[in-house]
């Protein structure tokens, strides 16, 4: 069975509109999908749920937050889209993002990128994120591609990676739970932590009410999947899987095969029961 509990639309840094993403999911015969845009749920008001057929669409979001000053992402699944708790958190993150974009913009002036915030604001984007700054750096000839822009200026620890006042990871987990949803630690191996630090993160996440971890995020070496499944068992967390699809390219395909994991407790078991 193909499912996808992590993907993006142009409501955050993805390429496709919500309806285009849903159409692609149907072409790929995906059975359950959750759109998890960064810090917003705007996609959900742009989809005609009458046209979903037998595909299930589960509310989702990917929140930005920090753990011990390290930037991490927490996916929320299957919450009530109208919950005041989640909507309050989204409102706060919207303001944090605007403030952060203004700061990043000022910092990038130093390397010759002038008025980036004003330029990006004119593009009619739903949200401004680091990928937008990366694309602008490329467009203005200051970097040769997006990868280089992250490596030099926007990635972890670089000048454009400003310390941001996201809600704390505990607040994010509680917000998701209070809205009736499940908190999932996104892509645990992307933070490049040592094994012992990663275990500390997962332990803190579970102790704060986190219920699942992503054991697959996009194309992934099976050894990594096995390791993450081992950790999810060790900490009694459910397994989630997703493509983290942002755009069409050779490394990214919408949909993930549930047969890739042998874990017996997964977020879709719950999802199938509840929906
Ligand atoms: P933001 O949500 O504004 O903090 O931007 C983070 C997003 O940037 C991630 O969700 C990725 O989609 C993208 N990203 C992070 N690192 C890289 C990278 N090295 N190359 C390309 N995109 C990246
Ligand atoms: Mn992204
Ligand atoms: Mn992420
Ligand atoms: Mn993502």
């Amino acid at each position: 069975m193909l499912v996808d509990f992590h993907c993006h639309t142009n409501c955050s840094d993805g390429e496709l509109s919500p309806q285009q993403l849903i159409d692609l999911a149907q072409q790929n015969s995906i059975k359950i999908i959750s759109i998890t845009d960064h810090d917003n749920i705007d996609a959900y008001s742009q989809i005609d749920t009458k046209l979903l057929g037998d595909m299930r669409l589960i509310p989702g979001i990917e929140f930005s937050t920090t753990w011990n000053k390290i930037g991490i992402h927490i996916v929320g699944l299957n919450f009530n889209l109208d919950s005041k708790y989640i909507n309050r958190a989204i409102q706060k993150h919207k303001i944090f993002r605007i403030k952060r974009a203004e700061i990043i913009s000022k910092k990038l002036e130093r390397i010759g990128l002038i008025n980036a915030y004003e330029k990006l604001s004119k593009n009619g984007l739903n949200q401004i994120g680091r990928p937008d700054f990366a694309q602008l750096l490329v467009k203005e000839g200051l970097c040769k591609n997006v990868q280089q822009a992250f490596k030099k200026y926007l990635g972890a620890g670089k000048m454009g990676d400003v310390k941001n006042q996201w809600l704390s990871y505990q607040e994010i987990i509680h917000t998701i739970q209070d809205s009736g949803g499940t908190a999932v630690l996104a892509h645990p191996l992307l933070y490049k932590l040592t094994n012992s630090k990663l275990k500390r993160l997962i332990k803190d996440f579970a102790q704060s009410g986190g219920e699942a971890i992503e054991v697959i995020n996009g194309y992934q070496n099976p050894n990594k999947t096995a390791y993450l499944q081992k950790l999810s068992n060790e900490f009694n967390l459910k397994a989630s899987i997703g493509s983290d699809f942002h755009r069409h390219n050779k490394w990214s395909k919408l949909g993930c095969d549930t047969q890739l994991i042998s874990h017996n407790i997964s977020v879709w078991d719950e999802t199938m029961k509840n929906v």
Side-chain angles (χ1 to χ4, degrees), residues 72-85:
I72 64 161
H73 287 168
I74 294 177
V75 164
L77 295 175
N78 215 8
F79 49 83
N80 174 2
L81 287 166
D82 297 321
S83 160
K84 64 179 180 202
Y85 304 108

PDB file of all heavy atoms in Angstrom, residues 72-85:
ATOM      1  N   ILE A  72      14.832  21.609  14.843  1.00  0.00           N
ATOM      2  CA  ILE A  72      14.219  20.312  14.505  1.00  0.00           C
ATOM      3  C   ILE A  72      12.807  20.553  13.944  1.00  0.00           C
ATOM      4  O   ILE A  72      12.266  21.650  14.094  1.00  0.00           O
ATOM      5  CB  ILE A  72      14.133  19.344  15.721  1.00  0.00           C
ATOM      6  CG1 ILE A  72      13.208  19.905  16.818  1.00  0.00           C
ATOM      7  CG2 ILE A  72      15.510  19.015  16.275  1.00  0.00           C
ATOM      8  CD1 ILE A  72      12.723  18.843  17.793  1.00  0.00           C
ATOM      9  N   HIS A  73      12.259  19.540  13.308  1.00  0.00           N
ATOM     10  CA  HIS A  73      10.904  19.632  12.761  1.00  0.00           C
ATOM     11  C   HIS A  73      10.007  18.576  13.384  1.00  0.00           C
ATOM     12  O   HIS A  73      10.423  17.435  13.565  1.00  0.00           O
ATOM     13  CB  HIS A  73      10.930  19.441  11.239  1.00  0.00           C
ATOM     14  CG  HIS A  73      11.494  20.622  10.494  1.00  0.00           C
ATOM     15  ND1 HIS A  73      11.837  20.586   9.173  1.00  0.00           N
ATOM     16  CD2 HIS A  73      11.750  21.894  10.919  1.00  0.00           C
ATOM     17  CE1 HIS A  73      12.284  21.784   8.792  1.00  0.00           C
ATOM     18  NE2 HIS A  73      12.259  22.588   9.841  1.00  0.00           N
ATOM     19  N   ILE A  74       8.789  18.994  13.733  1.00  0.00           N
ATOM     20  CA  ILE A  74       7.808  18.058  14.287  1.00  0.00           C
ATOM     21  C   ILE A  74       6.561  18.079  13.402  1.00  0.00           C
ATOM     22  O   ILE A  74       5.984  19.141  13.146  1.00  0.00           O
ATOM     23  CB  ILE A  74       7.442  18.435  15.737  1.00  0.00           C
ATOM     24  CG1 ILE A  74       8.671  18.256  16.631  1.00  0.00           C
ATOM     25  CG2 ILE A  74       6.270  17.580  16.235  1.00  0.00           C
ATOM     26  CD1 ILE A  74       8.461  18.657  18.086  1.00  0.00           C
ATOM     27  N   VAL A  75       6.207  16.901  12.910  1.00  0.00           N
ATOM     28  CA  VAL A  75       5.004  16.777  12.077  1.00  0.00           C
ATOM     29  C   VAL A  75       3.810  16.499  12.989  1.00  0.00           C
ATOM     30  O   VAL A  75       3.906  15.718  13.930  1.00  0.00           O
ATOM     31  CB  VAL A  75       5.194  15.637  11.042  1.00  0.00           C
ATOM     32  CG1 VAL A  75       3.875  15.205  10.439  1.00  0.00           C
ATOM     33  CG2 VAL A  75       6.167  16.080   9.942  1.00  0.00           C
ATOM     34  N   GLY A  76       2.711  17.179  12.725  1.00  0.00           N
ATOM     35  CA  GLY A  76       1.451  16.900  13.416  1.00  0.00           C
ATOM     36  C   GLY A  76       0.522  16.226  12.422  1.00  0.00           C
ATOM     37  O   GLY A  76       0.433  16.655  11.270  1.00  0.00           O
ATOM     38  N   LEU A  77      -0.137  15.152  12.855  1.00  0.00           N
ATOM     39  CA  LEU A  77      -1.044  14.420  11.962  1.00  0.00           C
ATOM     40  C   LEU A  77      -2.413  14.247  12.604  1.00  0.00           C
ATOM     41  O   LEU A  77      -2.513  14.070  13.832  1.00  0.00           O
ATOM     42  CB  LEU A  77      -0.500  13.015  11.671  1.00  0.00           C
ATOM     43  CG  LEU A  77       0.815  12.876  10.894  1.00  0.00           C
ATOM     44  CD1 LEU A  77       1.212  11.389  10.836  1.00  0.00           C
ATOM     45  CD2 LEU A  77       0.697  13.456   9.496  1.00  0.00           C
ATOM     46  N   ASN A  78      -3.433  14.265  11.758  1.00  0.00           N
ATOM     47  CA  ASN A  78      -4.762  13.834  12.183  1.00  0.00           C
ATOM     48  C   ASN A  78      -5.363  14.672  13.313  1.00  0.00           C
ATOM     49  O   ASN A  78      -6.051  14.146  14.165  1.00  0.00           O
ATOM     50  CB  ASN A  78      -4.680  12.355  12.614  1.00  0.00           C
ATOM     51  CG  ASN A  78      -5.932  11.606  12.255  1.00  0.00           C
ATOM     52  OD1 ASN A  78      -6.800  12.119  11.565  1.00  0.00           O
ATOM     53  ND2 ASN A  78      -6.047  10.384  12.753  1.00  0.00           N
ATOM     54  N   PHE A  79      -5.076  15.956  13.322  1.00  0.00           N
ATOM     55  CA  PHE A  79      -5.649  16.870  14.326  1.00  0.00           C
ATOM     56  C   PHE A  79      -6.904  17.512  13.741  1.00  0.00           C
ATOM     57  O   PHE A  79      -7.221  17.351  12.552  1.00  0.00           O
ATOM     58  CB  PHE A  79      -4.609  17.937  14.711  1.00  0.00           C
ATOM     59  CG  PHE A  79      -3.965  18.601  13.526  1.00  0.00           C
ATOM     60  CD1 PHE A  79      -4.582  19.652  12.878  1.00  0.00           C
ATOM     61  CD2 PHE A  79      -2.747  18.140  13.029  1.00  0.00           C
ATOM     62  CE1 PHE A  79      -4.011  20.249  11.763  1.00  0.00           C
ATOM     63  CE2 PHE A  79      -2.172  18.729  11.902  1.00  0.00           C
ATOM     64  CZ  PHE A  79      -2.811  19.773  11.277  1.00  0.00           C
ATOM     65  N   ASN A  80      -7.600  18.262  14.580  1.00  0.00           N
ATOM     66  CA  ASN A  80      -8.781  18.983  14.135  1.00  0.00           C
ATOM     67  C   ASN A  80      -8.343  20.312  13.507  1.00  0.00           C
ATOM     68  O   ASN A  80      -7.789  21.168  14.190  1.00  0.00           O
ATOM     69  CB  ASN A  80      -9.685  19.204  15.364  1.00  0.00           C
ATOM     70  CG  ASN A  80     -10.878  20.072  15.051  1.00  0.00           C
ATOM     71  OD1 ASN A  80     -11.079  20.504  13.907  1.00  0.00           O
ATOM     72  ND2 ASN A  80     -11.661  20.346  16.071  1.00  0.00           N
ATOM     73  N   LEU A  81      -8.592  20.461  12.220  1.00  0.00           N
ATOM     74  CA  LEU A  81      -8.135  21.658  11.485  1.00  0.00           C
ATOM     75  C   LEU A  81      -8.702  22.953  12.062  1.00  0.00           C
ATOM     76  O   LEU A  81      -8.125  24.016  11.880  1.00  0.00           O
ATOM     77  CB  LEU A  81      -8.533  21.557  10.010  1.00  0.00           C
ATOM     78  CG  LEU A  81      -7.745  20.565   9.142  1.00  0.00           C
ATOM     79  CD1 LEU A  81      -8.465  20.319   7.818  1.00  0.00           C
ATOM     80  CD2 LEU A  81      -6.321  21.061   8.890  1.00  0.00           C
ATOM     81  N   ASP A  82      -9.832  22.850  12.760  1.00  0.00           N
ATOM     82  CA  ASP A  82     -10.457  24.065  13.322  1.00  0.00           C
ATOM     83  C   ASP A  82     -10.053  24.321  14.765  1.00  0.00           C
ATOM     84  O   ASP A  82     -10.516  25.285  15.369  1.00  0.00           O
ATOM     85  CB  ASP A  82     -11.992  23.945  13.256  1.00  0.00           C
ATOM     86  CG  ASP A  82     -12.470  23.847  11.823  1.00  0.00           C
ATOM     87  OD1 ASP A  82     -11.888  24.548  10.978  1.00  0.00           O
ATOM     88  OD2 ASP A  82     -13.389  23.053  11.554  1.00  0.00           O
ATOM     89  N   SER A  83      -9.210  23.463  15.319  1.00  0.00           N
ATOM     90  CA  SER A  83      -8.848  23.627  16.726  1.00  0.00           C
ATOM     91  C   SER A  83      -8.200  24.989  16.978  1.00  0.00           C
ATOM     92  O   SER A  83      -7.304  25.420  16.244  1.00  0.00           O
ATOM     93  CB  SER A  83      -7.871  22.519  17.128  1.00  0.00           C
ATOM     94  OG  SER A  83      -7.178  22.914  18.283  1.00  0.00           O
ATOM     95  N   LYS A  84      -8.638  25.631  18.064  1.00  0.00           N
ATOM     96  CA  LYS A  84      -8.060  26.948  18.377  1.00  0.00           C
ATOM     97  C   LYS A  84      -6.594  26.805  18.789  1.00  0.00           C
ATOM     98  O   LYS A  84      -5.799  27.730  18.597  1.00  0.00           O
ATOM     99  CB  LYS A  84      -8.866  27.645  19.480  1.00  0.00           C
ATOM    100  CG  LYS A  84      -8.841  26.955  20.807  1.00  0.00           C
ATOM    101  CD  LYS A  84      -9.644  27.725  21.851  1.00  0.00           C
ATOM    102  CE  LYS A  84      -9.591  26.989  23.173  1.00  0.00           C
ATOM    103  NZ  LYS A  84     -10.621  27.274  24.104  1.00  0.00           N
ATOM    104  N   TYR A  85      -6.218  25.653  19.319  1.00  0.00           N
ATOM    105  CA  TYR A  85      -4.834  25.477  19.779  1.00  0.00           C
ATOM    106  C   TYR A  85      -3.874  25.490  18.594  1.00  0.00           C
ATOM    107  O   TYR A  85      -2.878  26.198  18.593  1.00  0.00           O
ATOM    108  CB  TYR A  85      -4.690  24.180  20.576  1.00  0.00           C
ATOM    109  CG  TYR A  85      -5.628  24.118  21.739  1.00  0.00           C
ATOM    110  CD1 TYR A  85      -6.735  23.258  21.743  1.00  0.00           C
ATOM    111  CD2 TYR A  85      -5.440  24.958  22.841  1.00  0.00           C
ATOM    112  CE1 TYR A  85      -7.612  23.223  22.806  1.00  0.00           C
ATOM    113  CE2 TYR A  85      -6.316  24.933  23.920  1.00  0.00           C
ATOM    114  CZ  TYR A  85      -7.397  24.064  23.888  1.00  0.00           C
ATOM    115  OH  TYR A  85      -8.279  24.042  24.936  1.00  0.00           O
TER     116      TYR A  85
END
